[in-house]
Amino acid sequence: MSQLNSKKALLFIFVTILIDCIGIGIIIPVMPKLIQSLSSTNVSDAASIGGWLSVSYAIMQFIMSPVLGGLSDRFGRRPVLLISMLGLGIDFIFLFLAPTLAWLFVGRIIAGICGASFTTASAYIADISTKENRAQNFGMIGAAFGVGFIIGPALGSLFSTFGVRVPFLVAACFSLLNFIYGYFVLPESLGIENRRKFDWKRANPIGSLLHLRKHKTILGLIAALTFIYIAGHAMQSTWTFITMEKFKWTEKIVGYSISFVGISIAIVQGGLIKKANNLFGIKRSVYVGLFLQIIGFILFAFAWQDWMMFAIMLPFAMGGIAGPSMQSIMTSQVEANEQGELQGAVTSLMSLTSIIGPLLMTSLFTFFTGTNAPVYFPGIPFLTGAVLTVISFVIVLVALKKYGK
C-alpha cells in the first residue's frame, strides 16, 4: 500500500473507531441509572450488577476474539470489522428496549459474540504501518478512543435529560452509521498474498497463545498486559460508581469528567507518542508510561476533593504512551499473516481480564462502601490498580531486558 493510500486508510480506521467509541461513551453516564431502574437497587448494588454485565460480554469475547482474528487473516479485515459494527448496533437496540435485566444480559452477549472492532482495527493498522510509524499509528487508536470519549459522554449527559433510555437509541444510530460508513468507504488492508488458511486449532484462546509461544518477548508483554488490563478496570468499571458515591456527582458531571478523560487521552496518544518515542526510545516509553500510571492510580485512590480527579488525570493520561509502544514491539515480532491471530490472542486475553477485572473492582467497591465495611474506602479499586501495575512493570523489565532501545 502506497504512503498516500496508507494515510487515507489510517484516516478511515480512525473515523471507524471514533464512531464506535462515541456510541460506547454515550451510554456510560446513564448505565447505573438504567440498572437501578430495572433492579430497584442502590448505587453500591448496581455496581455489582454492572460488573456481571461486563463479565457476560467478556466471556463471549474471550471465546470469539481468536475466531474473528483468524477469520480476518483468512478473509481480510474489512468484513470482520463490518460484522463488529453491526453487532454493536444491535446490542444498543437491545439495551434501549430492555424491559428487564435479562434483556441487558442478552444485549451484552450479542455484542461479545460479534466482538468489538478494536481487535481487527489493530491488525488493520499493523497491515498498513512501517517499523518507523507503527507506535505512532497505534497511538491513533487511543486518540480515536479519547476523542470518542470526549463527544460520547457529553452527548450521553445531554440526551439523558430526555430519559435514561434515550442515549442507548442514539448510540445505536451511531453504530449503524458506522456500519454504513465502513461498508461504502473502508478499504481492505490485507492483500490476498498475505492471507492464510483458517485453522480451528489456532482459532481459540489457548491455541493462539501456544502458537505465539515461540516469541518470548511477546509472551512476556502479554503477561504484563494481563495485569495492566485488570488494573484498567479500576477506571472502566468503577469510575462512575466511585465518583457518584464519594463526591455525589450527577450523571451530567460524570459525563463531563469522562469527556475530560477523553481529552487527556486524545492529546497524549494523538500527539505525544512519536515525541515520547523519539525522546525516550520505545522501550523506555513503556517504562515511563507504566510509572506514571502507578502514580496516577495512587493519587486517585486518596483524592479527597472532586477537583483532584480532574487534576490527577493529566499525569495518569501521560501513562498512555506505554500501550501503543508495547503494541508496536509485539507486532514487529510476527509476520503479516499472523497479525490477526496476534490481535485476536491479545483481545481474548483482554476479555479474560474483563471477566476478572469488573468482578474484582466492583466487588471491592461494594465491600468497602457497604454497611458492613471495616473501613469506608471507595477508592480501593484505584489502589488495587496501582499494585497490579507495579507487578506489570516488573514483568516488563524482565521481558524487554534483551530488547533494543
Side-chain angles (χ1 to χ4, degrees):
M1 187 177 289
S2 69
Q3 185 176 4
L4 178 60
N5 288 336
S6 293
K7 289 183 178 180
K8 289 182 178 179
L10 186 62
L11 176 62
F12 293 149
I13 207 70
F14 175 84
V15 174
T16 297
I17 299 172
L18 173 62
I19 297 176
D20 255 11
C21 289
I22 290 174
I24 295 171
I26 283 175
I27 72 170
I28 289 177
V30 295
M31 181 60 87
K33 290 296 184 183
L34 179 60
I35 294 173
Q36 286 181 272
S37 70
L38 293 176
S39 61
S40 301
T41 58
N42 56 31
V43 174
S44 182
D45 291 333
S48 180
I49 296 173
W52 283 107
L53 281 170
S54 298
V55 167
S56 65
Y57 172 87
I59 289 174
M60 298 311 302
Q61 195 177 58
F62 172 71
I63 297 170
M64 294 302 298
S65 289
V67 176
L68 294 180
L71 289 173
S72 77
D73 283 341
R74 171 64 181 89
F75 298 105
R77 317 301 184 201
R78 185 176 182 275
V80 178
L81 276 169
L82 292 176
I83 292 172
S84 298
M85 298 170 199
L86 183 61
L88 190 60
I90 294 172
D91 169 48
F92 288 137
I93 292 173
F94 263 83
L95 297 178
F96 169 70
L97 297 173
T100 65
L101 278 174
W103 276 55
L104 294 186
F105 282 95
V106 171
R108 299 315 293 159
I109 288 170
I110 291 174
I113 292 173
C114 293
S117 61
F118 303 111
T119 302
T120 313
S122 296
Y124 192 110
I125 288 179
D127 292 338
I128 64 174
S129 299
T130 64
K131 181 180 179 180
E132 292 73 24
N133 64 15
R134 186 174 280 114
Q136 181 183 359
N137 288 350
F138 274 113
M140 293 298 290
I141 294 181
F145 182 91
V147 174
F149 276 81
I150 297 168
I151 301 172
L155 290 177
S157 298
L158 175 64
F159 286 110
S160 68
T161 60
F162 300 101
V164 71
R165 294 176 181 267
V166 173
F168 294 93
L169 181 60
V170 177
C173 292
F174 270 102
S175 295
L176 295 176
L177 175 65
N178 201 11
F179 171 78
I180 295 171
Y181 170 84
Y183 183 83
F184 287 105
V185 178
L186 190 67
E188 180 55 65
S189 65
L190 186 66
I192 300 294
E193 69 280 3
N194 288 325
R195 300 183 187 185
R196 64 176 176 86
K197 291 183 179 181
F198 181 81
D199 184 357
W200 280 107
K201 292 181 180 180
R202 294 165 61 175
N204 62 82
I206 297 175
S208 58
L209 287 173
L210 286 176
H211 184 73
L212 294 170
R213 70 183 184 276
K214 60 185 177 182
H215 304 289
K216 302 300 183 182
T217 299
I218 289 179
L219 286 182
L221 292 180
I222 285 177
L225 284 172
T226 301
F227 291 98
I228 293 173
Y229 289 149
I230 296 175
H233 280 279
M235 295 288 290
Q236 299 171 30
S237 298
T238 59
W239 175 271
T240 301
F241 299 105
I242 290 172
T243 53
M244 284 184 169
E245 172 70 22
K246 189 173 183 178
F247 303 114
K248 310 304 178 187
W249 284 2
T250 64
E251 295 93 328
K252 183 175 291 187
I253 298 176
V254 169
Y256 293 151
S257 73
I258 296 172
S259 292
F260 185 76
V261 172
I263 293 172
S264 304
I265 293 173
I267 291 173
V268 172
Q269 302 217 358
L272 299 182
I273 297 294
K274 185 177 181 180
K275 293 181 179 179
N277 286 171
N278 290 338
L279 178 63
F280 302 116
I282 193 166
K283 184 166 73 171
R284 289 181 180 175
S285 292
V286 176
Y287 299 157
V288 172
L290 292 178
F291 176 76
L292 289 172
Q293 287 184 358
I294 292 167
I295 298 300
F297 273 132
I298 294 173
L299 293 175
F300 277 136
F302 295 101
W304 64 90
Q305 294 187 26
D306 54 1
W307 64 265
M308 294 179 178
M309 303 300 282
F310 289 90
I312 297 166
M313 181 49 60
L314 298 176
F316 182 81
M318 285 294 296
I321 64 176
S325 299
M326 294 174 73
Q327 279 275 27
S328 177
I329 293 171
M330 288 192 296
T331 57
S332 68
Q333 306 292 305
V334 300
E335 300 297 329
N337 64 3
E338 295 178 315
Q339 294 293 342
E341 180 179 38
L342 170 62
Q343 298 305 327
V346 172
T347 302
S348 183
L349 171 69
M350 184 168 61
S351 302
L352 179 61
T353 61
S354 294
I355 299 170
I356 301 169
L359 289 178
L360 174 63
M361 298 304 179
T362 55
S363 295
L364 285 170
F365 172 79
T366 300
F367 180 75
F368 280 92
T369 57
T371 55
N372 296 322
V375 178
Y376 179 75
F377 187 20
I380 186 65
F382 293 133
L383 187 59
T384 305
V387 173
L388 293 171
T389 308
V390 168
I391 296 173
S392 175
F393 189 92
V394 173
I395 295 173
V396 166
L397 286 175
V398 176
L400 297 183
K401 187 175 183 180
K402 296 182 180 180
Y403 190 77
K405 296 182 179 181

